[in-house]
Coordinates of all heavy atoms in Angstrom, one line a residue:
C1 N 10.4 14.0 -7.4 CA 9.3 14.6 -8.0 C 9.7 15.1 -9.4 O 10.8 15.2 -9.7 CB 8.7 15.7 -7.1 SG 10.0 16.8 -6.4
G2 N 8.7 15.3 -10.2 CA 8.9 15.8 -11.6 C 7.5 16.3 -12.1 O 6.8 16.9 -11.3
T3 N 7.3 16.2 -13.4 CA 6.0 16.6 -13.9 C 5.2 15.4 -14.3 O 5.7 14.3 -14.2 CB 6.2 17.5 -15.2 OG1 6.8 16.7 -16.2 CG2 7.2 18.7 -14.9
D4 N 4.0 15.6 -14.8 CA 3.2 14.5 -15.2 C 3.5 14.1 -16.6 O 2.7 13.4 -17.3 CB 1.7 14.8 -15.0 CG 1.2 16.0 -15.8 OD1 2.1 16.7 -16.3 OD2 0.0 16.2 -15.9
G5 N 4.7 14.3 -17.1 CA 5.2 13.9 -18.4 C 6.0 12.6 -18.2 O 5.7 11.7 -17.4
S6 N 7.1 12.6 -19.0 CA 7.9 11.4 -19.0 C 8.6 11.1 -17.6 O 8.8 10.0 -17.3 CB 9.0 11.5 -20.1 OG 9.8 12.6 -19.8
E7 N 8.8 12.1 -16.8 CA 9.5 11.9 -15.5 C 8.6 11.1 -14.6 O 9.0 10.1 -14.1 CB 9.8 13.3 -14.8 CG 10.8 14.1 -15.5 CD 10.2 14.9 -16.6 OE1 9.0 15.0 -16.8 OE2 11.0 15.4 -17.4
L8 N 7.4 11.5 -14.5 CA 6.4 10.7 -13.6 C 6.2 9.3 -14.2 O 6.3 8.3 -13.5 CB 5.1 11.4 -13.5 CG 4.1 10.7 -12.6 CD1 4.6 10.5 -11.2 CD2 2.8 11.5 -12.6
C9 N 6.1 9.2 -15.5 CA 5.9 7.8 -16.1 C 7.1 7.0 -15.8 O 7.0 5.8 -15.5 CB 5.7 8.0 -17.6 SG 4.2 8.7 -18.2
S10 N 8.3 7.5 -15.9 CA 9.5 6.8 -15.7 C 9.6 6.3 -14.2 O 10.0 5.1 -14.0 CB 10.8 7.6 -16.1 OG 10.7 7.9 -17.5
L11 N 9.3 7.2 -13.3 CA 9.4 6.8 -11.9 C 8.4 5.7 -11.6 O 8.8 4.7 -10.9 CB 9.2 8.0 -11.0 CG 10.3 9.1 -11.0 CD1 9.8 10.3 -10.3 CD2 11.5 8.5 -10.4
L12 N 7.2 5.9 -12.0 CA 6.2 4.9 -11.7 C 6.5 3.5 -12.4 O 6.2 2.4 -11.8 CB 4.8 5.4 -12.2 CG 4.3 6.6 -11.4 CD1 3.0 7.1 -12.0 CD2 4.1 6.2 -9.9
A13 N 7.1 3.6 -13.6 CA 7.5 2.3 -14.3 C 8.5 1.6 -13.6 O 8.6 0.4 -13.6 CB 7.9 2.6 -15.7
L14 N 9.4 2.3 -12.9 CA 10.5 1.7 -12.1 C 10.0 1.3 -10.7 O 10.8 0.8 -9.9 CB 11.6 2.7 -11.9 CG 12.4 3.0 -13.3 CD1 13.4 4.2 -13.0 CD2 13.1 1.8 -13.7
G15 N 8.7 1.5 -10.4 CA 8.2 1.2 -9.1 C 8.4 2.2 -8.0 O 8.2 1.9 -6.8
E16 N 8.8 3.4 -8.4 CA 9.1 4.4 -7.4 C 7.8 5.3 -7.3 O 7.2 5.6 -8.3 CB 10.3 5.3 -7.9 CG 11.6 4.6 -7.9 CD 12.0 4.1 -6.5 OE1 11.8 4.9 -5.5 OE2 12.6 3.1 -6.4
R17 N 7.5 5.8 -6.1 CA 6.4 6.7 -5.8 C 7.0 8.0 -5.4 O 7.5 8.2 -4.3 CB 5.5 6.1 -4.7 CG 4.9 4.8 -5.0 CD 3.6 4.8 -5.6 NE 2.6 5.6 -5.0 CZ 1.5 6.1 -5.7 NH1 1.3 5.7 -6.9 NH2 0.6 6.8 -5.0
P18 N 6.9 9.0 -6.3 CA 7.5 10.3 -6.0 C 6.6 11.0 -4.9 O 5.5 10.6 -4.7 CB 7.4 11.1 -7.3 CG 6.3 10.4 -8.1 CD 6.4 8.9 -7.6
V19 N 7.2 11.9 -4.2 CA 6.5 12.6 -3.1 C 5.5 13.6 -3.7 O 4.6 14.0 -3.1 CB 7.5 13.4 -2.2 CG1 8.3 12.4 -1.4 CG2 8.3 14.4 -2.9
G20 N 5.7 14.0 -5.0 CA 4.7 14.8 -5.7 C 5.2 15.2 -7.1 O 6.3 14.8 -7.5
F21 N 4.3 15.9 -7.8 CA 4.7 16.2 -9.2 C 3.9 17.5 -9.6 O 2.9 17.8 -9.0 CB 4.4 15.1 -10.1 CG 2.9 14.7 -10.3 CD1 2.2 15.2 -11.3 CD2 2.3 13.9 -9.4 CE1 0.8 14.9 -11.5 CE2 1.0 13.5 -9.5 CZ 0.3 14.0 -10.6
G22 N 4.5 18.2 -10.5 CA 3.8 19.3 -11.1 C 2.9 18.8 -12.2 O 3.3 18.1 -13.1
Q23 N 1.6 19.2 -12.1 CA 0.6 18.6 -13.0 C 0.2 19.7 -14.0 O -0.3 20.6 -13.8 CB -0.7 18.3 -12.2 CG -1.7 17.6 -13.0 CD -2.9 17.0 -12.2 OE1 -2.8 16.9 -11.0 NE2 -3.9 16.6 -12.8
R24 N 0.6 19.3 -15.3 CA 0.3 20.2 -16.4 C -1.0 19.8 -17.1 O -1.6 20.6 -17.8 CB 1.5 20.2 -17.4 CG 2.7 20.8 -16.9 CD 3.8 20.8 -18.0 NE 4.0 19.4 -18.4 CZ 4.7 19.1 -19.5 NH1 5.3 20.0 -20.2 NH2 4.9 17.8 -19.9
N25 N -1.3 18.5 -17.0 CA -2.5 18.0 -17.7 C -3.6 17.7 -16.7 O -3.3 17.1 -15.7 CB -2.2 16.7 -18.5 CG -1.1 17.0 -19.5 OD1 -1.2 17.8 -20.3 ND2 0.0 16.2 -19.3
D26 N -4.8 18.2 -16.9 CA -5.9 17.9 -16.0 C -7.1 17.3 -16.9 O -7.7 18.0 -17.7 CB -6.4 19.1 -15.3 CG -7.4 18.8 -14.3 OD1 -7.5 17.7 -13.8 OD2 -8.2 19.7 -13.9
P27 N -7.4 16.0 -16.7 CA -6.7 15.1 -15.8 C -5.4 14.6 -16.3 O -5.0 15.0 -17.4 CB -7.7 13.9 -15.8 CG -8.4 13.9 -17.1 CD -8.5 15.4 -17.5
V28 N -4.7 13.9 -15.5 CA -3.3 13.4 -15.9 C -3.6 12.5 -17.2 O -4.6 12.0 -17.4 CB -2.6 12.6 -14.8 CG1 -2.2 13.5 -13.7 CG2 -3.4 11.4 -14.4
S29 N -2.5 12.3 -17.9 CA -2.5 11.5 -19.1 C -3.2 10.2 -18.8 O -3.0 9.6 -17.7 CB -1.1 11.3 -19.6 OG -0.5 12.5 -19.9
P30 N -4.0 9.7 -19.8 CA -4.7 8.4 -19.6 C -3.9 7.2 -19.1 O -4.3 6.4 -18.3 CB -5.4 8.2 -20.9 CG -5.3 9.4 -21.7 CD -4.2 10.2 -21.1
W31 N -2.7 7.1 -19.6 CA -1.8 6.0 -19.3 C -1.3 6.0 -17.8 O -0.8 5.1 -17.3 CB -0.6 5.8 -20.2 CG 0.2 7.1 -20.4 CD1 1.2 7.5 -19.6 CD2 0.0 8.1 -21.4 NE1 1.7 8.7 -20.0 CE2 1.0 9.1 -21.1 CE3 -0.9 8.2 -22.4 CZ2 1.1 10.2 -21.9 CZ3 -0.7 9.3 -23.3 CH2 0.2 10.3 -23.0
L32 N -1.6 7.2 -17.2 CA -1.3 7.3 -15.7 C -2.5 7.1 -14.8 O -2.4 7.1 -13.6 CB -0.7 8.7 -15.5 CG 0.7 8.9 -16.1 CD1 1.1 10.4 -15.9 CD2 1.8 8.0 -15.5
A33 N -3.6 6.9 -15.5 CA -4.9 6.7 -14.7 C -4.7 5.7 -13.6 O -4.3 4.6 -13.9 CB -6.0 6.4 -15.6
G34 N -5.0 6.0 -12.4 CA -4.9 5.1 -11.3 C -3.5 5.0 -10.7 O -3.3 4.8 -9.5
L35 N -2.4 5.2 -11.6 CA -1.1 5.1 -11.1 C -0.7 6.3 -10.2 O 0.2 6.1 -9.3 CB -0.1 4.9 -12.2 CG -0.3 3.6 -13.0 CD1 0.7 3.6 -14.3 CD2 0.0 2.4 -12.2
A36 N -1.2 7.4 -10.6 CA -0.8 8.7 -9.9 C -1.8 9.0 -8.8 O -1.6 10.0 -8.1 CB -0.7 9.8 -10.9
D37 N -2.8 8.1 -8.6 CA -3.8 8.4 -7.5 C -3.1 8.5 -6.1 O -2.2 7.7 -5.8 CB -4.8 7.3 -7.4 CG -5.7 7.3 -8.6 OD1 -5.7 8.3 -9.4 OD2 -6.5 6.4 -8.8
G38 N -3.4 9.5 -5.4 CA -2.9 9.7 -4.1 C -1.6 10.4 -4.0 O -1.1 10.8 -2.9
L39 N -0.9 10.7 -5.2 CA 0.2 11.5 -5.2 C -0.1 13.0 -5.0 O -1.0 13.5 -5.7 CB 1.1 11.3 -6.5 CG 1.6 10.0 -6.7 CD1 2.4 9.9 -8.1 CD2 2.6 9.6 -5.5
D40 N 0.7 13.7 -4.3 CA 0.4 15.2 -4.2 C 0.9 15.8 -5.4 O 1.9 15.4 -6.1 CB 1.3 15.7 -3.0 CG 0.8 17.1 -2.5 OD1 -0.3 17.5 -2.9 OD2 1.6 17.8 -1.8
S41 N 0.2 16.9 -5.8 CA 0.6 17.6 -7.0 C 0.2 19.1 -6.9 O -0.5 19.5 -6.0 CB -0.1 17.0 -8.3 OG -1.5 17.2 -8.2
Y42 N 0.7 19.8 -7.8 CA 0.3 21.2 -7.9 C 0.1 21.6 -9.4 O 0.7 20.9 -10.3 CB 1.3 22.2 -7.2 CG 2.6 22.4 -7.9 CD1 2.9 23.3 -8.9 CD2 3.7 21.6 -7.6 CE1 4.0 23.5 -9.5 CE2 4.9 21.7 -8.2 CZ 5.1 22.7 -9.1 OH 6.3 22.8 -9.8
D43 N -0.7 22.6 -9.7 CA -1.0 23.1 -11.0 C 0.3 23.7 -11.6 O 0.7 24.7 -11.1 CB -2.2 24.0 -11.0 CG -2.6 24.5 -12.4 OD1 -2.0 24.0 -13.4 OD2 -3.5 25.3 -12.4
L44 N 0.8 23.0 -12.7 CA 1.9 23.5 -13.4 C 1.6 24.1 -14.8 O 2.4 24.3 -15.5 CB 3.0 22.4 -13.5 CG 4.4 22.7 -14.0 CD1 5.0 23.9 -13.1 CD2 5.3 21.5 -14.0
S45 N 0.3 24.1 -15.1 CA -0.2 24.5 -16.4 C 0.3 25.9 -16.8 O 0.5 26.2 -17.9 CB -1.6 24.4 -16.5 OG -2.3 25.3 -15.6
S46 N 0.5 26.8 -15.8 CA 1.0 28.2 -16.1 C 2.5 28.2 -16.4 O 3.0 29.2 -16.9 CB 0.7 29.1 -14.9 OG 1.6 28.7 -13.8
G47 N 3.2 27.1 -16.1 CA 4.6 27.0 -16.3 C 5.4 27.6 -15.1 O 6.6 27.7 -15.2
E48 N 4.7 27.9 -14.1 CA 5.4 28.5 -12.9 C 5.6 27.4 -11.8 O 4.7 26.8 -11.3 CB 4.5 29.6 -12.2 CG 4.4 30.9 -13.1 CD 5.7 31.5 -13.3 OE1 6.5 31.6 -12.4 OE2 5.9 32.0 -14.5
T49 N 6.9 27.2 -11.5 CA 7.2 26.2 -10.5 C 6.9 26.8 -9.1 O 7.2 27.9 -8.8 CB 8.7 25.9 -10.6 OG1 9.0 25.4 -11.8 CG2 9.2 24.9 -9.5
Q50 N 6.3 26.0 -8.2 CA 6.0 26.4 -6.9 C 7.1 25.9 -6.0 O 7.0 24.8 -5.4 CB 4.6 25.8 -6.4 CG 3.5 26.4 -7.2 CD 2.1 25.9 -6.7 OE1 2.1 25.2 -5.7 NE2 1.1 26.2 -7.5
Y51 N 8.2 26.6 -5.9 CA 9.4 26.2 -5.1 C 9.0 25.9 -3.6 O 9.6 25.0 -3.0 CB 10.5 27.3 -5.2 CG 11.0 27.3 -6.6 CD1 10.6 28.4 -7.5 CD2 12.0 26.4 -7.0 CE1 11.1 28.4 -8.8 CE2 12.5 26.5 -8.3 CZ 12.1 27.5 -9.2 OH 12.6 27.6 -10.4
E52 N 8.1 26.7 -3.1 CA 7.7 26.5 -1.7 C 7.1 25.1 -1.6 O 7.4 24.4 -0.5 CB 6.7 27.5 -1.2 CG 7.2 28.9 -1.2 CD 7.2 29.6 -2.6 OE1 6.6 29.1 -3.5 OE2 7.9 30.6 -2.7
R53 N 6.4 24.6 -2.5 CA 5.8 23.3 -2.5 C 6.9 22.2 -2.6 O 6.9 21.2 -1.8 CB 4.8 23.1 -3.7 CG 4.0 21.9 -3.6 CD 2.9 22.0 -2.5 NE 1.8 21.1 -2.7 CZ 0.7 21.4 -3.3 NH1 0.6 22.6 -3.9 NH2 -0.2 20.6 -3.4
L54 N 7.9 22.5 -3.4 CA 9.0 21.5 -3.5 C 9.7 21.4 -2.2 O 10.1 20.3 -1.8 CB 10.0 22.0 -4.6 CG 9.4 22.1 -6.1 CD1 10.6 22.5 -7.0 CD2 8.9 20.8 -6.5
I55 N 10.0 22.6 -1.6 CA 10.7 22.5 -0.2 C 9.9 21.8 0.8 O 10.4 21.0 1.5 CB 10.9 24.0 0.2 CG1 11.9 24.7 -0.7 CG2 11.4 24.0 1.7 CD1 12.0 26.2 -0.5
A56 N 8.6 21.9 0.8 CA 7.7 21.2 1.8 C 7.7 19.7 1.5 O 7.6 19.0 2.5 CB 6.3 21.8 1.7
W57 N 7.9 19.3 0.3 CA 7.9 17.9 0.0 C 9.2 17.3 0.5 O 9.3 16.1 0.7 CB 7.8 17.6 -1.5 CG 6.4 17.8 -2.1 CD1 5.2 17.8 -1.4 CD2 6.0 18.0 -3.4 NE1 4.2 18.0 -2.2 CE2 4.6 18.1 -3.5 CE3 6.8 18.2 -4.6 CZ2 4.0 18.3 -4.7 CZ3 6.1 18.4 -5.8 CH2 4.7 18.5 -5.8
A58 N 10.3 18.0 0.6 CA 11.6 17.5 1.0 C 12.1 16.3 0.2 O 12.4 15.3 0.8 CB 11.6 17.2 2.6
P59 N 12.1 16.5 -1.1 CA 12.5 15.4 -2.0 C 14.0 15.0 -1.9 O 14.8 15.9 -1.4 CB 12.1 15.9 -3.3 CG 12.4 17.3 -3.3 CD 11.9 17.7 -1.9
D60 N 14.3 13.8 -2.1 CA 15.7 13.4 -2.2 C 16.3 13.8 -3.5 O 17.5 13.9 -3.6 CB 15.8 11.8 -2.1 CG 15.3 11.4 -0.7 OD1 15.6 12.0 0.3 OD2 14.7 10.3 -0.7
L61 N 15.5 13.9 -4.6 CA 15.9 14.2 -5.9 C 14.8 14.9 -6.7 O 13.6 14.6 -6.5 CB 16.3 12.9 -6.6 CG 16.7 12.9 -8.1 CD1 18.0 13.5 -8.2 CD2 16.6 11.6 -8.7
L62 N 15.2 15.8 -7.5 CA 14.2 16.5 -8.4 C 14.5 16.1 -9.9 O 15.7 16.1 -10.3 CB 14.3 18.0 -8.3 CG 13.9 18.7 -7.0 CD1 14.2 20.2 -7.0 CD2 12.5 18.5 -6.8
L63 N 13.5 15.7 -10.6 CA 13.6 15.5 -12.0 C 12.8 16.6 -12.7 O 11.7 16.9 -12.4 CB 13.0 14.2 -12.4 CG 13.6 12.9 -11.8 CD1 12.8 11.7 -12.3 CD2 15.0 12.8 -12.2
V64 N 13.6 17.5 -13.4 CA 13.0 18.7 -14.0 C 13.2 18.7 -15.5 O 14.4 18.5 -15.9 CB 13.7 19.9 -13.3 CG1 13.1 21.2 -13.9 CG2 13.6 19.8 -11.8
Q65 N 12.2 18.9 -16.3 CA 12.3 19.0 -17.7 C 13.1 20.3 -18.1 O 12.9 21.3 -17.5 CB 11.0 19.1 -18.4 CG 10.2 17.8 -18.3 CD 8.8 18.0 -19.0 OE1 8.4 19.1 -19.4 NE2 8.1 16.9 -19.1
N66 N 13.9 20.0 -19.2 CA 14.6 21.2 -19.8 C 13.5 22.2 -20.2 O 12.4 21.8 -20.6 CB 15.3 20.8 -21.1 CG 16.6 20.1 -20.7 OD1 17.3 20.3 -19.7 ND2 17.0 19.1 -21.6
G67 N 13.7 23.4 -20.1 CA 12.7 24.4 -20.3 C 12.3 25.0 -18.9 O 12.2 26.2 -18.7
F68 N 12.0 24.1 -18.0 CA 11.8 24.4 -16.6 C 13.2 24.6 -15.9 O 13.4 25.5 -15.1 CB 11.0 23.5 -15.8 CG 9.5 23.4 -16.2 CD1 9.1 22.4 -17.1 CD2 8.6 24.4 -15.8 CE1 7.7 22.4 -17.5 CE2 7.3 24.4 -16.2 CZ 6.8 23.4 -17.1
A69 N 14.1 23.7 -16.3 CA 15.5 23.7 -15.8 C 16.3 24.6 -16.7 O 16.6 24.2 -17.9 CB 16.0 22.3 -15.7
T70 N 16.6 25.7 -16.3 CA 17.3 26.7 -17.2 C 18.6 27.1 -16.4 O 18.6 26.9 -15.1 CB 16.5 27.9 -17.6 OG1 16.2 28.6 -16.4 CG2 15.2 27.5 -18.3
E71 N 19.4 27.9 -17.0 CA 20.6 28.4 -16.3 C 20.1 29.3 -15.1 O 20.8 29.3 -14.0 CB 21.4 29.3 -17.3 CG 22.7 29.7 -16.7 CD 23.6 30.4 -17.8 OE1 23.6 29.9 -18.9 OE2 24.3 31.4 -17.4
E72 N 19.0 30.0 -15.2 CA 18.5 30.9 -14.2 C 17.8 30.1 -13.1 O 17.9 30.5 -11.9 CB 17.5 31.9 -14.8 CG 18.2 32.9 -15.7 CD 18.4 32.4 -17.1 OE1 17.6 31.5 -17.5 OE2 19.3 32.8 -17.8
T73 N 17.1 29.0 -13.4 CA 16.3 28.3 -12.4 C 17.1 27.2 -11.7 O 16.7 26.8 -10.6 CB 15.0 27.7 -13.0 OG1 15.4 26.7 -14.0 CG2 14.2 28.8 -13.5
M74 N 18.1 26.7 -12.3 CA 18.8 25.5 -11.7 C 19.3 25.8 -10.3 O 19.2 24.9 -9.4 CB 20.0 25.0 -12.5 CG 19.5 24.2 -13.7 SD 18.7 22.7 -13.2 CE 20.0 21.6 -12.6
P75 N 19.9 27.0 -10.0 CA 20.3 27.2 -8.6 C 19.1 27.1 -7.6 O 19.3 26.6 -6.5 CB 20.8 28.6 -8.6 CG 21.3 28.8 -10.0 CD 20.3 28.1 -10.8
R76 N 17.9 27.5 -8.0 CA 16.7 27.4 -7.1 C 16.4 25.9 -6.9 O 16.0 25.5 -5.8 CB 15.6 28.1 -7.6 CG 15.8 29.7 -7.6 CD 14.6 30.4 -7.8 NE 13.7 30.4 -6.7 CZ 12.5 31.0 -6.7 NH1 12.0 31.6 -7.8 NH2 11.7 30.9 -5.6
F77 N 16.4 25.1 -8.0 CA 16.1 23.7 -7.9 C 17.2 23.0 -7.0 O 16.8 22.2 -6.1 CB 16.1 23.1 -9.2 CG 14.8 23.4 -10.0 CD1 14.9 24.0 -11.3 CD2 13.6 23.1 -9.5 CE1 13.7 24.3 -12.0 CE2 12.4 23.4 -10.2 CZ 12.5 24.0 -11.5
T78 N 18.4 23.2 -7.3 CA 19.5 22.5 -6.6 C 19.6 22.9 -5.1 O 20.1 22.2 -4.3 CB 20.8 22.7 -7.2 OG1 21.2 24.1 -7.3 CG2 20.9 22.1 -8.6
A79 N 19.0 24.1 -4.8 CA 18.9 24.5 -3.4 C 17.9 23.6 -2.6 O 18.0 23.5 -1.4 CB 18.5 26.0 -3.2
V80 N 17.0 23.0 -3.3 CA 15.9 22.2 -2.7 C 16.5 20.7 -2.6 O 16.3 20.1 -1.6 CB 14.7 22.2 -3.5 CG1 13.6 21.2 -3.0 CG2 14.1 23.6 -3.6
A81 N 17.1 20.2 -3.7 CA 17.6 18.9 -3.7 C 18.4 18.6 -4.9 O 18.4 19.5 -5.9 CB 16.4 17.9 -3.8
P82 N 19.3 17.7 -4.9 CA 20.0 17.3 -6.2 C 19.0 17.3 -7.3 O 17.9 16.7 -7.2 CB 20.7 16.0 -5.9 CG 20.8 16.0 -4.4 CD 19.6 16.7 -3.9
T83 N 19.4 17.8 -8.5 CA 18.5 18.0 -9.6 C 19.0 17.4 -10.9 O 20.2 17.6 -11.2 CB 18.1 19.5 -9.8 OG1 17.6 20.0 -8.6 CG2 17.1 19.7 -10.9
V84 N 18.2 16.6 -11.5 CA 18.5 16.1 -12.9 C 17.6 16.7 -13.9 O 16.4 16.7 -13.7 CB 18.3 14.5 -12.9 CG1 18.5 14.0 -14.3 CG2 19.3 13.9 -11.9
A85 N 18.2 17.4 -14.9 CA 17.4 18.0 -16.0 C 17.2 16.9 -17.0 O 18.1 16.2 -17.4 CB 18.1 19.2 -16.5
T86 N 15.9 16.8 -17.5 CA 15.6 15.8 -18.5 C 15.2 16.5 -19.8 O 14.8 17.6 -19.8 CB 14.5 14.8 -18.0 OG1 13.3 15.6 -17.8 CG2 14.8 14.2 -16.7
S87 N 15.2 15.7 -20.9 CA 14.8 16.3 -22.1 C 13.6 15.6 -22.6 O 13.2 14.6 -22.1 CB 15.9 16.2 -23.2 OG 16.3 14.9 -23.4

């Protein structure tokens, strides 16, 4: 899982369907139209990660943008799943 930015675009371009994503744009970016249909998401426009949602998704991997992935938040992310911080 990731956000509706480059992480989601990259996963979909590789043919991967994430279990969910944090949605900052409503609607999602035009180039994702149709591709993200049916994926679970939560409102990330406030900048607040819903860790309970991440836990419920039980992801194998988290892709988290720098800014969301900070020295303070990384322990919470890595407690859910291995985490890759992206720029």
Side-chain angles (χ1 to χ4, degrees):
C1 41
T3 69
D4 57 349
S6 60
E7 296 82 11
L8 181 59
C9 290
S10 297
L11 289 170
L12 293 172
L14 292 170
E16 295 294 326
R17 298 273 303 164
V19 294
F21 65 98
Q23 185 170 348
R24 295 182 304 169
N25 304 304
D26 188 22
V28 294
S29 302
W31 52 87
L32 293 173
L35 297 173
D37 290 352
L39 293 178
D40 196 16
S41 67
Y42 70 90
D43 183 1
L44 188 58
S45 62
S46 69
E48 294 295 321
T49 300
Q50 294 181 11
Y51 293 98
E52 296 80 13
R53 190 69 160 270
L54 299 181
I55 292 166
W57 286 339
D60 295 323
L61 176 71
L62 293 174
L63 299 179
V64 181
Q65 288 181 352
N66 286 328
F68 291 103
T70 65
E71 189 173 321
E72 294 80 28
T73 61
M74 280 302 283
R76 292 190 75 184
F77 286 121
T78 57
V80 175
T83 302
V84 175
T86 65
S87 59

